[in-house]
């Protein structure tokens, strides 16, 4: 039972353009959502998060949008840079739970 | 502090052998987590410690798996009688308090042949 889904295994974007990564979830008890970035041979690195009481959170070039009614969140990267090429994981947690539930990941490639 | 440290980085073992991995969390973090990641999948939760107490275990953690965190500092994850299906990246993470943006180590890649 995949509670967090990233339906696009890969995404290719031109440098300088916007990258949009999508994530869907099924568990209505999830109230905290995170995005992690992973380079090869390294562990995931926390990027940005959002609480269910918000619908948007912004940090520099990264913005996360949450649509609770659609159980959907997205990560926008503007402008995209070559160093953004990595695998991006969406993750979610329910209130009171310590564990994160991760999606399968989306490999983002930024082309020069 | 240099972050979460995991040792070894790579381990190749024969089926049926026992293996043990070590994780050193960020020193002020009282929460420690183990996750497993297989190819093409996101990390899957295995177990969680708060200080030395193991508070949650996933059903993924069969009786061949055991984790400890003596004295609430470093943690070890042991897999007994390894099987080929145990081949994966084993990730450790730590956090301070009830925060979910926790810090991962670089992982231990296990290959069972």
């Amino acid at each position: 039972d995949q509670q967090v889904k990233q339906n696009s295994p890969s995404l290719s974007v031109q440098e300088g353009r916007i990258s949009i990564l999508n994530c869907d979830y099924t568990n209505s008890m999830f109230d905290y959502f995170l995005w992690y970035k992973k380079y090869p041979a390294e562990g995931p690195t926390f990027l940005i998060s959002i609480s269910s009481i918000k619908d948007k959170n912004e940090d520099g070039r990264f913005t996360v949008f949450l649509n609770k009614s659609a159980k959907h969140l997205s990560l926008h990267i503007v402008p995209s840079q070559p160093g953004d090429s990595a695998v991006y994981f969406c993750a979610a947690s329910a209130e009171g739970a310590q564990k994160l539930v991760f999606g399968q990941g989306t490999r983002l490639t930024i082309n020069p | 502090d240099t972050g979460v440290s995991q040792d070894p980085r790579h381990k190749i073992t024969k089926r049926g052998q026992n293996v043990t991995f070590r994780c050193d969390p960020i020193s002020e973090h009282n929460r420690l987590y183990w996750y497993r990641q297989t190819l093409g999948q996101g990390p899957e939760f295995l177990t969680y410690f708060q200080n030395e107490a193991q508070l949650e275990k996933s059903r993924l953690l069969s009786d061949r798996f055991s984790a400890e965190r003596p004295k609430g500092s470093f943690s070890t994850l042991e897999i007994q009688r390894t099987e080929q299906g145990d081949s994966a990246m084993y990730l450790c993470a730590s956090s301070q308090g009830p925060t979910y943006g926790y810090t991962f180590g670089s992982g231990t890649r296990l290959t069972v042949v």
Side-chain angles (χ1 to χ4, degrees):
Chain A
D1 177 25
Q2 192 73 29
Q3 297 185 68
V4 178
K5 296 181 183 179
Q6 295 175 257
N7 292 317
S8 298
S10 62
L11 177 67
S12 187
V13 174
Q14 198 80 13
E15 182 179 358
R17 307 294 289 267
I18 183 171
S19 295
I20 300 176
L21 297 100
N22 293 303
C23 178
D24 297 292
Y25 63 96
T26 58
N27 189 342
S28 58
M29 299 300 291
F30 288 151
D31 67 345
Y32 201 79
F33 304 89
L34 307 89
W35 284 93
Y36 281 82
K37 175 180 179 179
K38 186 181 184 303
Y39 292 119
E42 293 184 13
T45 302
F46 170 70
L47 201 53
I48 192 169
S49 63
I50 188 167
S51 165
S52 61
I53 62 174
K54 295 185 174 182
D55 54 18
K56 176 182 174 182
N57 189 25
E58 192 171 352
D59 183 2
R61 296 186 299 114
F62 302 91
T63 303
V64 56
F65 295 93
L66 175 62
N67 183 333
K68 289 188 293 293
S69 61
K71 293 190 176 66
H72 177 84
L73 65 156
S74 60
L75 174 68
H76 292 209
I77 307 174
V78 182
S80 299
Q81 299 174 354
D84 295 331
S85 295
V87 177
Y88 288 78
F89 292 100
C90 168
S93 182
E95 183 178 2
Q98 294 297 324
K99 68 180 183 183
L100 294 179
V101 180
F102 284 82
Q104 309 95 310
T106 296
R107 180 177 300 279
L108 176 65
T109 303
I110 306 301
N111 302 308
Chain B
D1 199 335
T2 55
V4 178
S5 177
Q6 291 190 247
D7 183 70
R9 291 294 303 272
H10 304 276
K11 179 71 177 178
I12 299 175
T13 190
K14 292 184 178 179
R15 189 173 51 188
Q17 298 292 305
N18 299 343
V19 293
T20 300
F21 311 140
R22 177 180 170 123
C23 171
D24 287 273
I26 294 173
S27 56
E28 61 265 27
H29 286 184
N30 63 353
R31 287 165 163 78
L32 186 146
Y33 313 81
W34 285 98
Y35 281 75
R36 179 174 72 185
Q37 185 181 11
T38 54
L39 198 61
Q41 299 297 317
E44 295 176 290
F45 172 79
L46 292 178
T47 190
Y48 151 67
F49 290 85
Q50 184 167 332
N51 299 312
E52 67 274 10
Q54 188 175 20
L55 297 184
E56 189 173 351
K57 289 172 61 173
S58 164
R59 55 186 166 84
L60 292 175
L61 219 63
S62 74
D63 55 4
R64 296 185 297 106
F65 288 71
S66 62
E68 294 182 343
R69 192 183 182 197
K71 302 178 183 177
S73 55
F74 71 92
S75 175
T76 58
L77 178 68
E78 180 183 16
I79 309 175
Q80 296 183 327
R81 306 181 302 281
T82 51
E83 302 172 355
Q84 287 189 321
D86 297 330
S87 295
M89 174 74 84
Y90 289 84
L91 293 162
C92 176
S94 69
S95 71
Q96 183 177 17
T99 174
Y100 300 109
Y102 40 69
T103 304
F104 279 94
S106 297
T108 294
R109 179 166 295 283
L110 173 67
T111 303
V112 181
V113 297

